[in-house]
Amino acid sequence: MATTRIIALFNQSGGVAKTTLTQNIGYHLAQKKKTRVLVVDMDPQGSLTTFMGLEPDELDISVYDAIVNSKPLPVYPEAINGVWLVPADINLAAAELQLSGAISREYRLRNALAPVLDDYDFILIDCPPSLGLLSIISLTAATHLLVPIQCQFKSFKGTELLLSTVAQVRQHTNPNLQFAGFVPTMYDGRTAQESRTVKAVQSQLSSIATVFPPVTKSIAFADASERRVPLSLFDKNHPAITILKQIARDLEKL
Ligand SMILES: Nc1ncnc2c1ncn2[C@@H]1O[C@H](COP(=O)(O)OP(=O)(O)O)[C@@H](O)[C@H]1O
Ligand SMILES: [Mg+2]
């Protein structure tokens, strides 16, 4: 059996579509028969948990228990549209402080995932929008990184900081961490500036990893998450689905 690919969706900026891509790529990976997919919500805001139709405040399980109290990984008892979920809740916001003196705290998620690796082909980790401990914990647990980049010059600048964080994680806690690729998101092809940014992303980052075709800006993403479903179940003919499927297919080859 192939080893489990653990893919962290990481970018320290908020609103770049990490959670949206985690949900949608998770869904497309799980469409393949026999491919078992787990998504892990590592954001105290619990957006992934919400996008998947659950209310973080009403659940009695949270990834917090695994991270802070070293309990077994709390997987929600039913698959949601074929995808298994480890939910998060606001308690996770206190984890960084509570773990401040803990030994090997960077390894908390890696250790929590170890006993379930045989159960899944893919584990996608939805990182919080920060460079703090929860992101470091996520990157330490991952085999690969998928980086959404918003097609604006400002967010492109943040990539340097992102790359230096990845370099530090490789140096200290996870030498084998690899890039699965970059995904330009919320692309509005009508503005010349955005198409320039996409070209810049492609020319500067393609030496590091695959730069996928951009995911276009579309209100349908917000509509789908409001309905608590992946885009494909909201509008099965939406043009962005081709790219989501392409990313999923590429991840299968990792
Ligand atoms: N391609 C897109 N076009 C338009 N809106 C999008 C797109 N992708 C995501 N969104 C919306 O943008 C908001 C932020 O996305 P989200 O996935 O939560 O980002 P992050 O997890 O990086 O903070 C959400 O409301 C989401 O529905
Ligand atoms: Mg998010």
Side-chain angles (χ1 to χ4, degrees), residues 153-198:
F153 185 66
K154 172 175 69 78
S155 39
F156 182 48
K157 291 278 273 188
T159 315
E160 260 168 54
L161 194 55
L162 186 151
L163 294 176
S164 86
T165 304
V166 173
Q168 286 194 44
V169 168
R170 280 176 170 158
Q171 189 179 358
H172 295 288
T173 62
N174 191 2
N176 298 322
L177 182 62
Q178 292 177 48
F179 280 97
F182 297 92
V183 186
T185 62
M186 306 200 192
Y187 176 59
D188 181 354
R190 291 168 306 181
T191 77
Q193 194 230 350
E194 291 205 4
S195 61
R196 273 202 305 276
T197 307
V198 169

Side-chain angles (χ1 to χ4, degrees), residues 54 59-61 73-80 83-87 120:
L54 303 175
L59 293 170
D60 51 9
I61 58 169
L73 194 74
V75 180
Y76 189 71
E78 291 161 42
I80 302 165
V83 176
W84 299 92
L85 167 71
V86 176
Y120 303 102

Side-chain angles (χ1 to χ4, degrees), residues 17 19-29 31 48 51-52 80-81 83 186 214-247:
T19 304
T20 303
L21 289 175
T22 306
Q23 178 185 27
N24 282 284
I25 293 168
Y27 172 79
H28 288 292
L29 285 169
Q31 286 307 101
L48 179 64
F51 282 16
M52 292 189 62
I80 302 165
N81 296 315
V83 176
M186 306 200 192
V215 177
T216 332
K217 192 176 219 163
S218 164
I219 190 72
F221 279 98
D223 290 342
S225 58
E226 207 168 296
R227 301 265 189 98
R228 312 281 188 254
V229 290
L231 182 62
S232 215
L233 296 180
F234 175 73
D235 176 1
K236 68 179 167 44
N237 297 319
H238 195 283
I241 291 167
T242 316
I243 292 158
L244 297 169
K245 283 184 175 168
Q246 181 186 337
I247 298 169

Side-chain angles (χ1 to χ4, degrees), residues 40-42 60-75 86-87 89 92 95 99 104-105 107-116 134 137:
V40 180
D41 194 347
M42 280 295 285
D60 51 9
I61 58 169
S62 163
V63 71
Y64 173 88
D65 301 317
I67 303 287
V68 176
N69 299 323
S70 303
K71 297 254 177 71
L73 194 74
V75 180
V86 176
D89 68 352
L92 194 57
L99 289 174
S104 298
R105 57 206 169 127
Y107 298 89
R108 293 294 178 114
L109 182 59
R110 179 190 282 191
N111 293 343
L113 295 180
V116 306
L134 291 175
I137 283 177

Side-chain angles (χ1 to χ4, degrees), residues 86-151:
V86 176
D89 68 352
I90 195 68
N91 286 325
L92 194 57
E96 305 211 347
L97 200 59
Q98 289 169 343
L99 289 174
S100 65
I103 295 169
S104 298
R105 57 206 169 127
E106 291 88 354
Y107 298 89
R108 293 294 178 114
L109 182 59
R110 179 190 282 191
N111 293 343
L113 295 180
V116 306
L117 293 184
D118 281 348
D119 301 337
Y120 303 102
D121 301 292
F122 285 95
I123 299 176
L124 305 186
I125 305 171
D126 184 25
C127 293
S130 80
L131 294 172
L133 182 62
L134 291 175
S135 284
I136 303 300
I137 283 177
S138 303
L139 297 184
T140 301
T143 56
H144 295 83
L145 269 173
L146 188 64
V147 179
I149 295 187
Q150 203 171 344
C151 302

